[in-house]
Amino acid sequence: MTPDEIDDIEQRHRDKMQRIKAAVDARIAAATEDTGVLLVLTGPGKGKSSSGFGMVARTLGHGMKAGVVQFIKGATPTGEEQFFRRFPDEVEYHVCGEGFTWNTQNRARDIERAQAGWEQARALLRRDDVGLVLLDELNIVLAHGYLDTATVLADVMARPLMQHVVITGRGAPAELVELAHTVSDIKVTKHAFKQGIRAQRGLEF
Amino acid sequence: MTPDEIDDIEQRHRDKMQRIKAAVDARIAAATEDTGVLLVLTGPGKGKSSSGFGMVARTLGHGMKAGVVQFIKGATPTGEEQFFRRFPDEVEYHVCGEGFTWNTQNRARDIERAQAGWEQARALLRRDDVGLVLLDELNIVLAHGYLDTATVLADVMARPLMQHVVITGRGAPAELVELAHTVSDIKVTKHAFKQGIRAQRGLEF
Protein backbone atom coordinates (compact mmCIF):
# COMPACT_ATOMS: atom_id res chain seq x y z
CA MET A 1 0.00 0.00 0.00
CA THR A 2 1.09 3.57 -0.65
CA PRO A 3 1.23 6.09 2.21
CA ASP A 4 -1.88 7.75 0.73
CA GLU A 5 -3.81 4.47 0.80
CA ILE A 6 -2.82 3.90 4.43
CA ASP A 7 -3.89 7.46 5.31
CA ASP A 8 -7.21 6.75 3.66
CA ILE A 9 -7.75 3.54 5.70
CA GLU A 10 -6.85 5.38 8.88
CA GLN A 11 -9.25 8.23 8.07
CA ARG A 12 -12.12 5.86 7.29
CA HIS A 13 -11.43 4.01 10.56
CA ARG A 14 -11.57 7.30 12.51
CA ASP A 15 -14.81 8.33 10.78
CA LYS A 16 -16.47 5.00 11.49
CA MET A 17 -15.30 4.99 15.10
CA GLN A 18 -16.53 8.57 15.60
CA ARG A 19 -19.99 7.58 14.40
CA ILE A 20 -20.02 4.58 16.78
CA LYS A 21 -18.75 6.75 19.63
CA ALA A 22 -21.57 9.27 19.07
CA ALA A 23 -24.18 6.49 19.24
CA VAL A 24 -22.61 4.91 22.31
CA ASP A 25 -22.26 8.29 24.04
CA ALA A 26 -25.95 9.03 23.42
CA ARG A 27 -26.92 5.71 24.99
CA ILE A 28 -24.64 6.28 27.98
CA ALA A 29 -26.14 9.75 28.46
CA ALA A 30 -29.61 8.19 28.51
CA ALA A 31 -28.55 5.59 31.09
CA THR A 32 -28.04 7.76 34.15
CA GLU A 33 -29.57 5.81 36.98
CA ASP A 34 -27.52 4.15 39.72
CA THR A 35 -29.32 1.34 41.47
CA GLY A 36 -28.76 -2.04 42.98
CA VAL A 37 -29.17 -4.38 40.02
CA LEU A 38 -30.93 -7.74 40.12
CA LEU A 39 -29.00 -9.97 37.71
CA VAL A 40 -29.96 -13.50 36.68
CA LEU A 41 -27.56 -15.93 34.97
CA THR A 42 -29.45 -18.93 33.65
CA GLY A 43 -29.45 -21.49 30.83
CA PRO A 44 -27.59 -24.78 30.35
CA GLY A 45 -24.19 -23.37 29.27
CA LYS A 46 -20.97 -23.09 31.24
CA GLY A 47 -20.20 -19.80 33.01
CA LYS A 48 -23.09 -18.97 35.34
CA SER A 49 -21.53 -19.50 38.76
CA SER A 50 -18.06 -18.46 37.64
CA SER A 51 -19.51 -15.17 36.37
CA GLY A 52 -21.06 -14.56 39.79
CA PHE A 53 -17.69 -15.18 41.43
CA GLY A 54 -16.01 -12.78 39.01
CA MET A 55 -18.45 -10.11 40.19
CA VAL A 56 -17.58 -10.92 43.80
CA ALA A 57 -13.93 -10.23 42.86
CA ARG A 58 -14.90 -6.94 41.18
CA THR A 59 -16.90 -5.92 44.23
CA LEU A 60 -13.92 -6.50 46.53
CA GLY A 61 -11.71 -4.59 44.07
CA HIS A 62 -13.90 -1.53 44.61
CA GLY A 63 -13.52 -1.83 48.39
CA MET A 64 -17.08 -3.10 48.92
CA LYS A 65 -18.14 -6.21 50.82
CA ALA A 66 -19.84 -9.24 49.30
CA GLY A 67 -21.98 -12.11 50.55
CA VAL A 68 -22.21 -15.60 49.04
CA VAL A 69 -24.71 -18.37 49.66
CA GLN A 70 -24.07 -21.56 47.68
CA PHE A 71 -27.14 -23.74 47.41
CA ILE A 72 -26.89 -27.31 46.02
CA LYS A 73 -23.09 -27.41 45.80
CA GLY A 74 -21.09 -28.22 48.88
CA ALA A 75 -20.23 -31.93 48.86
CA THR A 76 -16.62 -31.31 47.81
CA PRO A 77 -14.49 -28.23 48.45
CA THR A 78 -14.35 -25.87 45.48
CA GLY A 79 -11.64 -23.48 44.36
CA GLU A 80 -14.00 -20.52 44.74
CA GLU A 81 -14.73 -21.40 48.36
CA GLN A 82 -11.08 -21.99 49.24
CA PHE A 83 -10.15 -18.70 47.57
CA PHE A 84 -12.82 -16.35 48.92
CA ARG A 85 -12.62 -17.74 52.43
CA ARG A 86 -9.20 -16.07 52.55
CA PHE A 87 -11.00 -12.74 53.05
CA PRO A 88 -13.39 -13.22 55.97
CA ASP A 89 -13.61 -9.44 56.61
CA GLU A 90 -14.67 -8.82 53.01
CA VAL A 91 -16.77 -11.86 52.05
CA GLU A 92 -19.36 -13.60 54.16
CA TYR A 93 -19.41 -17.10 52.67
CA HIS A 94 -22.02 -19.78 53.30
CA VAL A 95 -22.26 -23.23 51.75
CA CYS A 96 -25.68 -24.71 52.39
CA GLY A 97 -25.91 -27.56 49.93
CA GLU A 98 -24.71 -31.11 50.36
CA GLY A 99 -24.22 -31.82 46.69
CA PHE A 100 -26.48 -32.23 43.71
CA THR A 101 -30.03 -33.40 44.35
CA TRP A 102 -29.43 -36.72 42.62
CA ASN A 103 -26.58 -37.43 45.05
CA THR A 104 -28.36 -36.58 48.28
CA GLN A 105 -31.58 -38.46 47.32
CA ASN A 106 -33.23 -37.10 50.43
CA ARG A 107 -35.87 -34.51 49.72
CA ALA A 108 -36.69 -33.59 53.32
CA ARG A 109 -33.00 -33.02 54.07
CA ASP A 110 -32.56 -30.93 50.87
CA ILE A 111 -35.49 -28.74 51.88
CA GLU A 112 -34.10 -28.28 55.35
CA ARG A 113 -30.70 -27.22 53.98
CA ALA A 114 -32.30 -24.87 51.45
CA GLN A 115 -34.33 -23.19 54.17
CA ALA A 116 -31.27 -22.80 56.39
CA GLY A 117 -29.50 -21.29 53.38
CA TRP A 118 -32.32 -18.86 52.83
CA GLU A 119 -32.03 -17.61 56.41
CA GLN A 120 -28.38 -16.75 55.68
CA ALA A 121 -29.38 -15.10 52.41
CA ARG A 122 -32.11 -13.05 54.05
CA ALA A 123 -29.65 -11.73 56.65
CA LEU A 124 -27.29 -10.61 53.85
CA LEU A 125 -30.19 -9.02 51.94
CA ARG A 126 -30.82 -6.78 54.97
CA ARG A 127 -27.28 -5.45 55.28
CA ASP A 128 -26.51 -1.97 53.99
CA ASP A 129 -22.76 -2.62 54.12
CA VAL A 130 -22.89 -5.57 51.68
CA GLY A 131 -22.60 -4.32 48.09
CA LEU A 132 -23.30 -7.58 46.29
CA VAL A 133 -24.99 -10.83 47.26
CA LEU A 134 -24.41 -13.94 45.15
CA LEU A 135 -27.11 -16.61 45.49
CA ASP A 136 -25.44 -19.46 43.64
CA GLU A 137 -27.72 -22.17 42.17
CA LEU A 138 -30.76 -20.64 43.79
CA ASN A 139 -32.74 -21.26 40.59
CA ILE A 140 -32.31 -25.02 41.02
CA VAL A 141 -33.70 -24.85 44.54
CA LEU A 142 -36.67 -22.81 43.34
CA ALA A 143 -37.32 -25.18 40.42
CA HIS A 144 -37.46 -28.10 42.87
CA GLY A 145 -39.89 -26.20 45.06
CA TYR A 146 -37.55 -26.38 48.06
CA LEU A 147 -38.18 -22.70 48.78
CA ASP A 148 -41.27 -20.61 48.16
CA THR A 149 -40.53 -18.38 45.16
CA ALA A 150 -42.81 -15.57 46.33
CA THR A 151 -41.10 -15.40 49.74
CA VAL A 152 -37.67 -15.40 48.10
CA LEU A 153 -38.61 -12.64 45.66
CA ALA A 154 -40.15 -10.51 48.41
CA ASP A 155 -36.90 -10.70 50.38
CA VAL A 156 -34.82 -9.91 47.30
CA MET A 157 -36.95 -6.89 46.41
CA ALA A 158 -36.81 -5.56 49.99
CA ARG A 159 -32.97 -5.34 49.94
CA PRO A 160 -31.09 -2.03 50.35
CA LEU A 161 -31.50 0.27 47.34
CA MET A 162 -27.88 0.07 46.17
CA GLN A 163 -27.29 -3.63 46.79
CA HIS A 164 -26.66 -5.87 43.76
CA VAL A 165 -28.01 -9.42 43.76
CA VAL A 166 -26.77 -12.12 41.39
CA ILE A 167 -28.83 -15.31 41.09
CA THR A 168 -27.49 -18.29 39.14
CA GLY A 169 -28.72 -21.69 38.02
CA ARG A 170 -30.64 -23.32 35.19
CA GLY A 171 -34.35 -22.78 34.85
CA ALA A 172 -34.85 -19.34 36.37
CA PRO A 173 -38.54 -18.98 37.27
CA ALA A 174 -40.60 -16.63 35.10
CA GLU A 175 -41.46 -14.34 38.05
CA LEU A 176 -37.75 -13.80 38.72
CA VAL A 177 -36.99 -13.06 35.06
CA GLU A 178 -39.85 -10.56 35.12
CA LEU A 179 -38.43 -8.70 38.14
CA ALA A 180 -34.75 -8.81 37.13
CA HIS A 181 -32.96 -5.88 35.46
CA THR A 182 -30.54 -8.09 33.53
CA VAL A 183 -30.98 -11.71 32.48
CA SER A 184 -28.35 -13.68 30.56
CA ASP A 185 -29.29 -17.03 29.05
CA ILE A 186 -26.15 -19.09 28.53
CA LYS A 187 -26.38 -21.51 25.61
CA VAL A 188 -24.09 -24.48 24.99
CA THR A 189 -22.42 -24.35 21.60
CA LYS A 190 -20.21 -27.26 22.68
CA HIS A 191 -18.94 -28.75 25.94
CA ALA A 192 -15.72 -30.59 26.87
CA PHE A 193 -17.68 -33.10 28.98
CA LYS A 194 -19.31 -34.56 25.87
CA GLN A 195 -15.82 -35.09 24.44
CA GLY A 196 -14.86 -37.34 27.36
CA ILE A 197 -13.10 -34.65 29.38
CA ARG A 198 -14.11 -34.59 33.03
CA ALA A 199 -14.69 -31.48 35.14
CA GLN A 200 -11.41 -29.62 35.55
CA ARG A 201 -10.06 -27.83 38.63
CA GLY A 202 -9.94 -24.10 38.09
CA LEU A 203 -12.52 -24.15 35.30
CA GLU A 204 -15.47 -26.10 36.65
CA PHE A 205 -14.91 -26.04 40.41
CA MET B 1 -51.11 -34.82 53.91
CA THR B 2 -51.08 -38.04 55.86
CA PRO B 3 -47.76 -39.62 56.93
CA ASP B 4 -48.31 -42.32 54.29
CA GLU B 5 -48.72 -39.71 51.55
CA ILE B 6 -45.52 -38.00 52.67
CA ASP B 7 -43.67 -41.34 52.69
CA ASP B 8 -44.90 -41.93 49.17
CA ILE B 9 -43.61 -38.53 47.96
CA GLU B 10 -40.26 -39.21 49.63
CA GLN B 11 -39.99 -42.66 48.01
CA ARG B 12 -40.85 -41.36 44.55
CA HIS B 13 -38.26 -38.60 45.01
CA ARG B 14 -35.58 -41.17 45.95
CA ASP B 15 -36.49 -43.38 42.97
CA LYS B 16 -36.35 -40.47 40.54
CA MET B 17 -33.07 -39.21 41.98
CA GLN B 18 -31.53 -42.72 41.83
CA ARG B 19 -32.39 -42.93 38.13
CA ILE B 20 -30.82 -39.51 37.51
CA LYS B 21 -27.76 -40.46 39.55
CA ALA B 22 -27.25 -43.63 37.50
CA ALA B 23 -27.36 -41.63 34.25
CA VAL B 24 -25.03 -38.93 35.60
CA ASP B 25 -22.62 -41.52 36.99
CA ALA B 26 -22.47 -43.27 33.62
CA ARG B 27 -21.62 -39.98 31.91
CA ILE B 28 -18.97 -39.15 34.50
CA ALA B 29 -17.44 -42.61 34.06
CA ALA B 30 -17.23 -41.98 30.32
CA ALA B 31 -15.54 -38.60 30.86
CA THR B 32 -12.17 -39.66 32.21
CA GLU B 33 -9.69 -37.43 30.45
CA ASP B 34 -7.80 -34.65 32.20
CA THR B 35 -6.54 -31.98 29.85
CA GLY B 36 -5.98 -28.28 29.57
CA VAL B 37 -9.32 -27.04 28.28
CA LEU B 38 -9.78 -24.32 25.68
CA LEU B 39 -12.93 -22.45 26.70
CA VAL B 40 -14.63 -19.68 24.72
CA LEU B 41 -17.23 -17.31 26.20
CA THR B 42 -18.93 -15.35 23.46
CA GLY B 43 -22.26 -13.76 22.52
CA PRO B 44 -23.81 -10.38 23.34
CA GLY B 45 -25.02 -11.14 26.88
CA LYS B 46 -23.58 -10.07 30.21
CA GLY B 47 -21.20 -12.44 32.01
CA LYS B 48 -18.32 -13.30 29.67
CA SER B 49 -15.39 -11.48 31.29
CA SER B 50 -16.75 -11.90 34.81
CA SER B 51 -16.94 -15.67 34.24
CA GLY B 52 -13.29 -15.67 33.21
CA PHE B 53 -12.39 -13.81 36.40
CA GLY B 54 -14.37 -16.29 38.47
CA MET B 55 -12.21 -19.05 36.98
CA VAL B 56 -9.08 -17.09 37.88
CA ALA B 57 -10.38 -17.08 41.48
CA ARG B 58 -11.03 -20.85 41.33
CA THR B 59 -7.54 -21.45 39.95
CA LEU B 60 -5.96 -19.53 42.83
CA GLY B 61 -8.18 -21.45 45.25
CA HIS B 62 -6.58 -24.68 44.07
CA GLY B 63 -3.09 -23.27 44.66
CA MET B 64 -2.34 -22.81 40.95
CA LYS B 65 -1.12 -19.65 39.23
CA ALA B 66 -3.07 -17.68 36.63
CA GLY B 67 -2.25 -15.19 33.91
CA VAL B 68 -4.51 -12.42 32.59
CA VAL B 69 -4.21 -10.29 29.49
CA GLN B 70 -6.96 -7.71 29.05
CA PHE B 71 -7.29 -6.50 25.49
CA ILE B 72 -9.53 -3.52 24.62
CA LYS B 73 -10.33 -2.54 28.20
CA GLY B 74 -7.89 -0.45 30.15
CA ALA B 75 -8.95 3.20 29.94
CA THR B 76 -10.35 3.21 33.47
CA PRO B 77 -9.34 1.05 36.43
CA THR B 78 -11.63 -1.94 36.96
CA GLY B 79 -12.54 -3.80 40.12
CA GLU B 80 -11.09 -7.02 38.72
CA GLU B 81 -7.72 -5.39 38.06
CA GLN B 82 -7.59 -3.72 41.47
CA PHE B 83 -8.52 -6.99 43.14
CA PHE B 84 -6.26 -9.46 41.34
CA ARG B 85 -3.25 -7.15 41.45
CA ARG B 86 -3.25 -7.82 45.19
CA PHE B 87 -1.68 -11.23 44.43
CA PRO B 88 1.38 -10.55 42.26
CA ASP B 89 2.93 -13.92 43.13
CA GLU B 90 -0.20 -15.77 42.00
CA VAL B 91 -1.55 -13.73 39.08
CA GLU B 92 0.46 -12.16 36.29
CA TYR B 93 -1.83 -9.34 35.16
CA HIS B 94 -1.48 -7.32 31.96
CA VAL B 95 -3.76 -4.60 30.64
CA CYS B 96 -2.98 -3.89 27.02
CA GLY B 97 -5.99 -1.95 25.81
CA GLU B 98 -6.61 1.76 26.02
CA GLY B 99 -10.38 1.52 25.98
CA PHE B 100 -12.99 0.55 23.44
CA THR B 101 -12.11 0.95 19.78
CA TRP B 102 -14.67 3.71 19.30
CA ASN B 103 -12.94 5.72 22.02
CA THR B 104 -9.37 5.37 20.84
CA GLN B 105 -10.26 6.06 17.18
CA ASN B 106 -6.69 5.26 16.22
CA ARG B 107 -6.35 2.02 14.34
CA ALA B 108 -2.55 1.95 14.12
CA ARG B 109 -2.27 2.51 17.87
CA ASP B 110 -4.89 -0.20 18.60
CA ILE B 111 -2.94 -2.68 16.48
CA GLU B 112 0.29 -1.80 18.23
CA ARG B 113 -1.30 -2.34 21.65
CA ALA B 114 -2.91 -5.62 20.58
CA GLN B 115 0.42 -6.92 19.32
CA ALA B 116 2.17 -5.92 22.55
CA GLY B 117 -0.63 -7.73 24.40
CA TRP B 118 -0.10 -10.82 22.32
CA GLU B 119 3.58 -10.91 23.24
CA GLN B 120 2.53 -11.02 26.91
CA ALA B 121 -0.05 -13.71 26.15
CA ARG B 122 2.45 -15.83 24.23
CA ALA B 123 4.87 -15.73 27.18
CA LEU B 124 2.09 -16.96 29.51
CA LEU B 125 1.12 -19.68 27.02
CA ARG B 126 4.66 -21.09 27.28
CA ARG B 127 4.73 -21.36 31.07
CA ASP B 128 4.23 -24.78 32.67
CA ASP B 129 3.62 -23.21 36.07
CA VAL B 130 0.58 -21.18 34.93
CA GLY B 131 -2.59 -23.26 35.26
CA LEU B 132 -5.00 -20.91 33.54
CA VAL B 133 -4.61 -18.02 31.10
CA LEU B 134 -7.48 -15.57 30.62
CA LEU B 135 -7.40 -13.66 27.33
CA ASP B 136 -10.11 -11.11 27.98
CA GLU B 137 -11.84 -9.56 24.94
CA LEU B 138 -9.44 -11.28 22.57
CA ASN B 139 -12.36 -12.08 20.24
CA ILE B 140 -12.92 -8.36 19.64
CA VAL B 141 -9.29 -7.87 18.67
CA LEU B 142 -9.49 -10.84 16.27
CA ALA B 143 -12.77 -9.60 14.77
CA HIS B 144 -11.11 -6.24 14.03
CA GLY B 145 -8.16 -7.99 12.39
CA TYR B 146 -5.70 -6.43 14.85
CA LEU B 147 -4.02 -9.80 15.33
CA ASP B 148 -3.63 -12.67 12.89
CA THR B 149 -6.08 -15.40 13.95
CA ALA B 150 -3.91 -18.26 12.65
CA THR B 151 -0.88 -17.04 14.63
CA VAL B 152 -2.98 -16.64 17.77
CA LEU B 153 -4.49 -20.12 17.43
CA ALA B 154 -1.10 -21.73 16.77
CA ASP B 155 0.25 -20.20 19.99
CA VAL B 156 -2.84 -21.29 21.96
CA MET B 157 -2.63 -24.86 20.67
CA ALA B 158 1.10 -25.07 21.48
CA ARG B 159 0.52 -24.36 25.19
CA PRO B 160 1.42 -26.85 27.96
CA LEU B 161 -0.84 -29.91 27.94
CA MET B 162 -2.55 -29.17 31.26
CA GLN B 163 -2.96 -25.40 30.87
CA HIS B 164 -6.50 -24.01 30.58
CA VAL B 165 -7.16 -21.04 28.31
CA VAL B 166 -10.27 -18.89 28.55
CA ILE B 167 -11.02 -16.51 25.67
CA THR B 168 -13.82 -13.95 25.96
CA GLY B 169 -15.55 -11.40 23.75
CA ARG B 170 -18.35 -11.15 21.23
CA GLY B 171 -17.98 -12.64 17.79
CA ALA B 172 -15.59 -15.55 18.40
CA PRO B 173 -14.08 -16.52 15.04
CA ALA B 174 -15.27 -19.82 13.55
CA GLU B 175 -11.76 -21.34 13.59
CA LEU B 176 -11.54 -20.74 17.36
CA VAL B 177 -15.00 -22.27 17.98
CA GLU B 178 -13.89 -25.26 15.94
CA LEU B 179 -10.75 -25.82 18.06
CA ALA B 180 -12.32 -25.09 21.48
CA HIS B 181 -13.48 -27.83 23.86
CA THR B 182 -16.23 -25.73 25.40
CA VAL B 183 -18.07 -22.76 23.90
CA SER B 184 -20.78 -20.82 25.71
CA ASP B 185 -22.90 -18.36 23.76
CA ILE B 186 -24.40 -15.81 26.15
CA LYS B 187 -27.73 -14.42 25.02
CA VAL B 188 -29.41 -11.27 26.33
CA THR B 189 -32.88 -11.93 27.66
CA LYS B 190 -32.90 -8.39 29.08
CA HIS B 191 -30.33 -5.78 30.16
CA ALA B 192 -30.41 -3.02 32.80
CA PHE B 193 -28.70 -0.58 30.42
CA LYS B 194 -31.77 -0.49 28.20
CA GLN B 195 -33.80 0.47 31.25
CA GLY B 196 -31.70 3.61 31.80
CA ILE B 197 -29.38 2.08 34.40
CA ARG B 198 -25.73 2.80 33.77
CA ALA B 199 -22.86 0.34 34.23
CA GLN B 200 -22.51 -0.46 37.92
CA ARG B 201 -19.33 -0.94 39.96
CA GLY B 202 -18.96 -4.53 41.07
CA LEU B 203 -21.25 -5.88 38.36
CA GLU B 204 -20.00 -4.43 35.09
CA PHE B 205 -16.46 -3.29 35.96
Side-chain angles (χ1 to χ4, degrees):
Chain A
M1 284 191 290
T2 67
D4 273 5
E5 283 170 333
I6 291 169
D7 280 355
D8 189 48
I9 288 171
E10 296 285 337
Q11 185 56 51
R12 275 187 287 126
H13 178 83
R14 273 194 299 275
D15 290 350
K16 194 172 97 178
M17 290 299 144
Q18 275 167 10
R19 284 196 302 276
I20 295 173
K21 181 170 162 52
V24 172
D25 285 351
R27 290 185 60 88
I28 290 171
T32 53
E33 198 188 341
D34 279 324
T35 191
V37 166
L38 175 54
L39 167 68
V40 175
L41 299 159
T42 193
K46 169 157 186 54
K48 299 180 289 294
S49 296
S50 51
S51 177
F53 285 104
M55 292 173 207
V56 170
R58 282 180 175 161
T59 298
L60 303 192
H62 288 294
M64 300 187 286
K65 288 183 184 178
V68 176
V69 184
Q70 285 195 282
F71 296 90
I72 307 295
K73 288 168 186 172
T76 46
T78 59
E80 60 264 28
E81 182 181 358
Q82 290 178 74
F83 182 67
F84 285 112
R85 283 209 192 269
R86 284 195 207 171
F87 320 101
D89 296 341
E90 296 168 81
V91 184
E92 189 176 310
Y93 203 109
H94 301 281
V95 176
C96 299
E98 293 184 325
F100 292 103
T101 50
W102 53 83
N103 284 324
T104 62
Q105 301 184 14
N106 184 329
R107 189 166 178 273
R109 180 78 183 135
D110 285 348
I111 291 174
E112 196 180 288
R113 297 294 308 215
Q115 286 174 346
W118 192 252
E119 291 306 314
Q120 306 285 10
R122 180 183 282 141
L124 288 165
L125 292 167
R126 287 177 177 165
R127 281 178 55 185
D128 266 324
D129 64 324
V130 173
L132 182 141
V133 178
L134 171 59
L135 303 171
D136 186 44
E137 305 288 7
L138 177 61
N139 288 335
I140 306 285
V141 167
L142 295 175
H144 277 83
Y146 292 171
L147 292 173
D148 175 57
T149 300
T151 304
V152 162
L153 292 179
D155 289 337
V156 167
M157 298 313 283
R159 73 192 186 279
L161 192 64
M162 295 307 298
Q163 189 182 68
H164 304 306
V165 173
V166 182
I167 297 176
T168 75
R170 296 180 186 213
E175 309 92 298
L176 173 59
V177 169
E178 181 69 25
L179 285 171
H181 297 97
T182 300
V183 180
S184 289
D185 184 20
I186 307 191
K187 304 289 187 191
V188 186
T189 301
K190 60 204 283 194
H191 201 293
F193 194 61
K194 298 206 173 159
Q195 296 152 59
I197 298 167
R198 62 182 163 191
Q200 297 292 308
R201 285 193 310 164
L203 281 190
E204 270 94 10
F205 64 94
Chain B
M1 284 192 288
T2 67
D4 275 3
E5 283 171 332
I6 291 168
D7 280 354
D8 189 49
I9 288 172
E10 296 285 337
Q11 186 55 51
R12 275 187 287 125
H13 178 83
R14 273 193 300 276
D15 291 348
K16 196 173 96 178
M17 290 300 142
Q18 274 166 13
R19 283 196 303 277
I20 295 173
K21 180 169 164 52
V24 172
D25 285 351
R27 291 185 60 89
I28 290 171
T32 53
E33 198 188 341
D34 279 324
T35 190
V37 167
L38 175 55
L39 167 68
V40 175
L41 300 158
T42 192
K46 169 157 186 55
K48 300 180 290 294
S49 296
S50 51
S51 177
F53 285 104
M55 292 172 206
V56 171
R58 283 179 174 161
T59 299
L60 304 192
H62 287 294
M64 301 186 285
K65 289 183 184 178
V68 175
V69 183
Q70 285 195 283
F71 295 91
I72 305 297
K73 288 169 185 170
T76 46
T78 59
E80 60 264 28
E81 182 181 357
Q82 290 178 74
F83 182 66
F84 285 112
R85 283 208 192 268
R86 286 194 205 171
F87 319 102
D89 296 339
E90 296 169 81
V91 185
E92 189 176 311
Y93 203 109
H94 300 281
V95 177
C96 299
E98 293 184 323
F100 292 103
T101 49
W102 53 84
N103 285 324
T104 61
Q105 301 183 14
N106 183 331
R107 189 166 178 274
R109 181 81 183 133
D110 285 349
I111 291 174
E112 197 181 287
R113 297 294 307 214
Q115 287 175 345
W118 193 253
E119 291 306 313
Q120 306 285 9
R122 180 183 283 141
L124 288 165
L125 292 167
R126 288 177 176 165
R127 281 179 54 185
D128 266 324
D129 64 324
V130 172
L132 182 141
V133 178
L134 170 59
L135 303 171
D136 186 44
E137 304 289 5
L138 177 61
N139 289 334
I140 307 285
V141 167
L142 294 175
H144 278 82
Y146 292 173
L147 291 172
D148 175 56
T149 299
T151 304
V152 161
L153 292 180
D155 288 336
V156 166
M157 299 312 284
R159 73 194 186 279
L161 192 64
M162 293 308 297
Q163 189 182 67
H164 303 306
V165 173
V166 181
I167 296 177
T168 76
R170 296 181 186 211
E175 307 94 298
L176 172 59
V177 169
E178 181 69 25
L179 285 172
H181 298 97
T182 300
V183 180
S184 289
D185 184 20
I186 307 190
K187 304 287 188 192
V188 186
T189 301
K190 59 203 285 195
H191 200 294
F193 195 61
K194 297 205 175 161
Q195 297 153 57
I197 298 167
R198 62 183 163 190
Q200 298 292 308
R201 285 192 311 164
L203 281 190
E204 270 94 11
F205 64 93

